[in-house]
Amino acid sequence: IETVSIESTKIGTNTFGAGQAGIVSITGSVIDITGASQIESNTFAEGNAGDLLLTGGIVSLSDSNVSAISHDGASGAAGGIFVKGGTITVNVGGTLDTTTSSIDGSNSAANISLEATQRISLNGAVISADTFGAASAGNVLLSAPDILLANNTSILSGTVGAATGDA
C-alpha cells in the first residue's frame, strides 16, 4: 500500500472479558493520521489490550490520538504502541498514550517505542506511559539519528494522582 490516509476516523479493538483484544497494524509507504482520529486498544476486564503498530516510510500524526489503555477495574495489561519508519512526525494535538488504572497492581502500562531510520520530529506532541493505580508505568523509547523536540512537547512516564505504582 502506498498511502494510508486516516482522517476523522476511529479504529479500535477492545476486550470486555478473558479474551485478548486484537492487534491493530497499519502499514504503508506514507501513513497520515489527522482530523481528531482515534486508533485505540482497550481492556475493561482480565484480557490484555492489543498492541498498536504503525509502520511506514513516513508516519505522520496530527490532532489525533493513538492509545492503549487498561481501564479502572481491569486486570488485563495495556497494549504497547510501536511506530517504525524512515521519518516519524507527531504534531500539535497528536498524542501517543498507554495507561493503566489498576488499583491492585495486577497490570501495567505498556511501552511506547518510536524508531526512525532518519528523523523523529515531535512538535507540540504528548507521549505518555502513565499509571493512575498500583501498577507500574511504561517506558518511552525514541531512537533515530536525528530527533527534534519542539513547542512544548511532553514525554512522560510516571505516576499520576494517588498512584502507588512505580514510574
Side-chain angles (χ1 to χ4, degrees), residues 5-29:
S5 296
I6 301 170
E7 183 175 353
S8 302
T9 300
K10 183 175 182 176
I11 299 170
T13 180
N14 300 303
T15 182
F16 296 92
Q20 310 302 309
I23 294 171
V24 174
S25 179
I26 301 171
T27 303
S29 295

Side-chain angles (χ1 to χ4, degrees), residues 12-22 40 42-49 71 74:
T13 180
N14 300 303
T15 182
F16 296 92
Q20 310 302 309
E40 60 186 30
N42 299 289
T43 179
F44 298 91
E46 60 270 22
N48 294 331
H71 291 271

Side-chain angles (χ1 to χ4, degrees), residues 41-64:
S41 179
N42 299 289
T43 179
F44 298 91
E46 60 270 22
N48 294 331
D51 290 337
L52 303 173
L53 314 170
L54 305 174
T55 307
I58 298 171
V59 180
S60 177
L61 176 71
S62 300
D63 190 33
S64 295

Side-chain angles (χ1 to χ4, degrees), residues 68-163:
I69 299 175
S70 176
H71 291 271
D72 191 25
S75 59
I81 299 173
F82 303 95
V83 183
K84 292 184 179 184
T87 302
I88 299 169
T89 303
V90 183
N91 288 314
V92 174
T95 62
L96 301 168
D97 172 48
T98 177
T99 303
T100 183
S101 297
S102 171
I103 58 173
D104 65 2
S106 61
N107 59 16
S108 60
N111 298 327
I112 299 173
S113 173
L114 281 70
E115 297 182 47
T117 57
Q118 297 171 7
R119 182 176 196 177
I120 295 173
S121 177
L122 304 178
N123 181 18
V126 176
I127 314 262
S128 64
D130 295 325
T131 180
F132 287 82
S136 297
N139 299 308
V140 177
L141 166 73
L142 303 178
S143 176
D146 185 21
I147 298 175
L148 171 67
L149 307 176
N151 296 325
N152 297 313
T153 288
S154 296
I155 300 173
L156 311 164
S157 174
T159 60
V160 180

